[in-house]
Amino acid sequence: MSTAHKLDCEAAENDCRFIIQSENEGEAIELARDHMLEVHGKEYTDDELREKHLQSV
């Protein structure tokens, strides 16, 4: 069974229910970064997202 990479936006923004899950870590990070910028107006680096918010499931 492969590992999936999950980012639950609620961990970063209390009022958001957006969840990203992908078997490709790079894709999950890219989608999360884009979501945070477009929806919340916040810029995160790949490393910030990976270290603080990304989970392996």
Side-chain angles (χ1 to χ4, degrees):
M1 184 173 185
S2 63
T3 300
H5 304 280
K6 175 183 173 188
L7 187 137
D8 182 347
C9 188
E10 188 173 27
E13 295 292 324
N14 291 332
D15 60 342
C16 185
R17 302 280 189 236
F18 190 73
I19 296 174
I20 297 162
Q21 186 166 322
S22 174
E23 290 181 2
N24 181 313
E25 181 182 283
E27 178 183 50
I29 293 289
E30 180 180 352
L31 291 169
R33 188 183 61 239
D34 292 347
H35 169 78
M36 294 304 288
L37 182 59
E38 292 171 10
V39 176
H40 302 292
K42 296 183 178 180
E43 290 189 46
Y44 285 88
T45 65
D46 291 0
D47 288 337
E48 286 176 316
L49 290 170
R50 188 177 290 110
E51 292 172 10
K52 295 179 183 178
H53 303 294
L54 192 67
Q55 303 169 355
S56 293
V57 291

